[in-house]
Amino acid sequence: MTVDRHYFEEMEAKIPRGKVRTRFAPSPTGYMHVGNLRTALYTWLIARSQGGTFILRIEDTDQGRLVDGAVDVIYRTMAECGLNHDEGPDVGGPVAPYIQSERRDTYGKYAKLLVELGHAYYCFCEKSESEEDSGEFDRAADPCRDLSAAEVEEKLAQGLPYVIRQRIPEGSTTFHDAIFGAITVENSTLDDQVLLKRDGLPTYNFANVIDDHLMGITHVVRGSEYLSSAPKYNLLYEAFGWDVPTYVHCSPVMRDAHNKMSKRHGDPSYEDLKTEGYLTEAVLNYVALLGWSPKGEQAEQEVFSLSELVKAFDMTGISKSPAIFDRAKLDHFNAVYLRSMAPEEFAKVAEPYIRQSVTKECYDAAAIAAVLQARCEKLTDIPEKVDFFDELPAYSVEFFTNKKSKTNSEVSLAMLEAAVPVLEALEQWTTESIHDALIELAQKLEVKNATLMWPVRIAAAGKMVTPGGAVEICQILGKDETIRRLRAGMAMLQA
């Protein structure tokens, strides 16, 4: 059963060489979690920072875990984040196809070549599919490991089902990782993993090695949970006589000091974060710093655009230590990005959230956005912050008492009684005219500005905390509604 070597020579001839080539190879199993997004980002940054090629490959050999629409989620996430790929299923390339299930015949040929080279063997033992995938078995007790060529031929001729297993040699294996350095393991601790399953599909551990080589991948970025598999990958590369790519194993993203982030435990995917009101740019910036730090002149810099990340990125900045996903830190980044947007751009993204609670068209969404922008951390916070515009909420008379502003019920009533006629007398209802009238009134009453503004704002909004001050709120509400609300406040204080 000699394998046709001409096929492999042709495959070698197709491999692009001479520049950095990286790949992001997600499984379409439902959503893009934060760790996946970070892997995609680092992989993209390595390629872009070194003038290389970035490849998108879909690893769908685990057919039982595939989720409808998951590939669309991958494409959409990558596009929204600006992580454009040079080669992939949708754009093609010199080493197509880029979907593993479409490369099925290739894996079978390489598995049989490995048998011929003496680094793999046919196993006819009865195993469950889960055992096939995990490779958990005692190889010393596996009778198939030492079958003669004649015995193998006989069983194949009988049509017996089989898997192909890697033959782990004696001794030890040393591999090098760009982050963790050189690591040596005793081969006795490695199992004869399944390379090709009974259905003819490869296991992940085999397919990714074959594809990475045939696609000319120079740098392989993956989670540190794959460090334990790296010796077996190394042995496969060596068995075929191939160059080993640069391994870049990234430590996990943790929910806390003890637990990895997990969808099962309610930790968010990229799409969840978008739904929760976070900007893509803020998420991407924050994720970049989950386990990587800039160096040199940019060592203290936190805010990076994607193009700035390309210039600053260096693999040596990736940390060995796990990174903890900190919501408060992400909120900070999101607020920075929201506040740095052009006012018209912020108004555009904020309007749908404003209109969730401010349905009356007489209230200008752009004017509301203008007072919101400096006081907003997440877009989803907006509806609750501005719901008082449509309807004055029920509120407590105690809101009028504020020690810092030197107000209580009695002082507040006096302030409102003085403010209403001044505001009624205004011919123009603008931010400037309202501001000037109230400041002048405070001077006339010989009180701090805050002593007057606090009760005006409370009466106008019915909330202790508002996105804008008294002047901005009154201007947006309009003259009639402002006077009506301030009179209602007076009535409450008189009761």
Side-chain angles (χ1 to χ4, degrees):
M1 252 185 50
T2 305
V3 180
D4 177 14
R5 298 297 177 97
H6 181 64
Y7 170 82
F8 303 107
E9 291 168 5
E10 289 182 338
M11 295 298 282
E12 287 293 312
K14 293 179 185 176
I15 300 173
R17 304 180 193 277
K19 64 192 292 191
V20 166
R21 287 174 63 83
T22 69
R23 50 74 169 170
F24 176 54
S27 298
T29 53
Y31 73 108
M32 182 84 82
H33 61 70
V34 169
N36 261 0
L37 179 58
R38 187 186 65 171
T39 299
L41 175 60
Y42 287 0
T43 307
W44 184 88
L45 286 170
I46 290 170
R48 293 290 175 259
S49 63
Q50 300 189 48
T53 298
F54 178 63
I55 297 162
L56 176 65
R57 185 172 77 218
I58 303 298
E59 299 199 338
D60 62 346
T61 54
D62 191 349
Q63 298 284 301
R65 294 179 61 226
L66 304 187
V67 174
D68 285 343
V71 174
D72 294 333
V73 170
I74 293 166
Y75 283 131
R76 185 167 61 249
T77 301
M78 300 290 280
E80 286 181 10
C81 294
L83 305 181
N84 57 312
H85 50 278
D86 306 299
E87 299 173 24
D90 55 335
V91 295
V95 286
Y98 294 88
I99 298 177
Q100 281 192 335
S101 59
E102 295 176 10
R103 302 170 63 83
R104 183 177 183 141
D105 290 347
T106 300
Y107 307 122
K109 288 182 172 69
Y110 278 91
K112 288 169 184 174
L113 173 62
L114 206 59
V115 171
E116 191 173 293
L117 293 170
H119 297 287
Y121 60 94
Y122 290 92
C123 179
F124 301 92
C125 299
E126 287 291 332
K127 301 284 181 187
S128 69
E129 190 167 339
S130 62
E131 286 176 309
E132 285 187 13
D133 286 337
S134 70
E136 291 176 4
F137 79 114
D138 182 358
R139 70 166 179 262
D142 191 326
C144 299
R145 199 171 198 267
D146 298 315
L147 288 174
S148 67
E151 288 172 314
V152 170
E153 287 291 351
E154 183 182 343
K155 290 179 182 293
L156 291 174
Q158 291 173 14
L160 295 180
Y162 63 84
V163 300
I164 293 180
R165 291 189 182 278
Q166 182 176 5
R167 188 187 296 277
I168 301 292
E170 300 298 319
S172 62
T173 297
T174 299
F175 68 95
H176 189 273
D177 180 79
I179 311 306
F180 290 88
I183 299 174
T184 299
V185 299
E186 292 301 317
N187 290 353
S188 59
T189 65
L190 307 176
D191 57 63
D192 281 7
Q193 65 179 348
V194 172
L195 305 178
L196 204 69
K197 296 183 285 187
R198 293 185 182 197
D199 60 7
L201 281 172
T203 56
Y204 165 82
N205 285 331
F206 186 53
N208 86 82
V209 168
I210 300 301
D211 287 343
D212 286 346
H213 174 70
L214 295 180
M215 293 183 179
I217 302 304
T218 60
H219 295 70
V220 174
V221 183
R222 55 177 164 241
S224 58
E225 65 269 23
Y226 289 103
L227 273 170
S228 60
S229 298
K232 292 183 282 190
Y233 300 150
N234 247 53
L235 287 169
L236 286 172
Y237 282 108
E238 290 171 3
F240 283 117
W242 296 339
D243 291 336
V244 179
T246 298
Y247 297 139
V248 185
H249 287 89
C250 302
S251 292
V253 179
M254 310 287 284
R255 183 189 328 127
D256 52 44
H258 306 289
N259 299 287
K260 279 188 187 181
M261 289 187 74
S262 163
K263 184 70 170 176
R264 281 195 308 277
H265 294 105
D267 293 316
S269 67
Y270 163 77
E271 294 213 323
D272 291 335
L273 292 173
K274 283 287 298 292
T275 302
E276 291 170 25
Y278 294 99
L279 296 174
T280 295
E281 296 84 354
V283 172
L284 211 57
N285 191 154
Y286 178 60
V287 166
L289 298 174
L290 279 175
W292 171 80
S293 301
K295 295 185 174 183
E297 293 179 2
Q298 294 159 310
E300 301 302 316
Q301 186 174 332
E302 275 196 330
V303 178
F304 289 89
S305 66
L306 199 53
S307 59
E308 287 173 329
L309 281 172
V310 170
K311 291 176 184 174
F313 193 77
D314 183 333
M315 283 189 297
T316 60
I318 297 175
S319 172
K320 294 180 185 179
S321 303
I324 294 177
F325 184 81
D326 184 345
R327 279 282 187 160
K329 191 72 172 175
L330 178 57
D331 288 347
H332 162 72
F333 272 98
N334 207 58
V336 168
Y337 274 86
L338 286 171
R339 290 163 195 171
S340 66
M341 294 173 84
E344 59 274 13
E345 187 184 357
F346 177 79
K348 187 177 179 181
V349 298
E351 183 167 8
Y353 296 90
I354 292 170
R355 289 303 179 200
Q356 284 179 28
S357 60
V358 184
T359 59
K360 294 178 180 177
E361 291 295 331
C362 60
Y363 298 134
D364 182 359
I368 295 173
V371 300
L372 269 171
Q373 187 167 5
R375 304 168 178 88
C376 185
E377 285 193 335
K378 290 190 296 181
L379 295 170
T380 45
D381 294 341
I382 290 174
E384 187 182 358
K385 286 180 181 286
V386 299
D387 57 3
F388 64 87
F389 282 107
D390 257 19
E391 187 174 350
L392 183 67
Y395 64 98
S396 169
V397 71
E398 293 173 5
F399 284 17
F400 284 106
T401 299
N402 182 269
K403 188 175 181 180
K404 188 176 179 183
S405 298
K406 297 184 178 178
T407 63
N408 55 28
S409 294
E410 185 180 346
V411 170
S412 293
L413 177 58
M415 294 298 106
L416 293 179
E417 286 175 338
V420 166
V422 168
L423 294 174
E424 281 182 321
L426 287 178
E427 293 183 7
Q428 286 189 311
W429 194 257
T430 64
T431 302
E432 293 76 15
S433 62
I434 298 166
H435 173 270
D436 292 349
L438 291 176
I439 295 299
E440 188 178 327
L441 177 60
Q443 291 173 346
K444 183 178 177 182
L445 296 172
E446 297 183 339
V447 297
K448 291 170 57 181
N449 292 341
T451 305
L452 174 61
M453 295 296 188
W454 181 272
V456 170
R457 186 178 62 83
I458 293 298
K463 283 193 168 192
M464 292 283 280
V465 179
T466 55
V471 172
E472 295 100 330
I473 290 170
C474 290
Q475 192 277 322
I476 294 168
L477 284 171
K479 185 174 182 178
D480 292 346
E481 181 63 12
T482 296
I483 300 300
R484 187 188 73 79
R485 292 188 181 194
L486 266 55
R487 287 191 182 281
M490 289 164 56
M492 178 190 291
L493 288 162
Q494 288 166 342

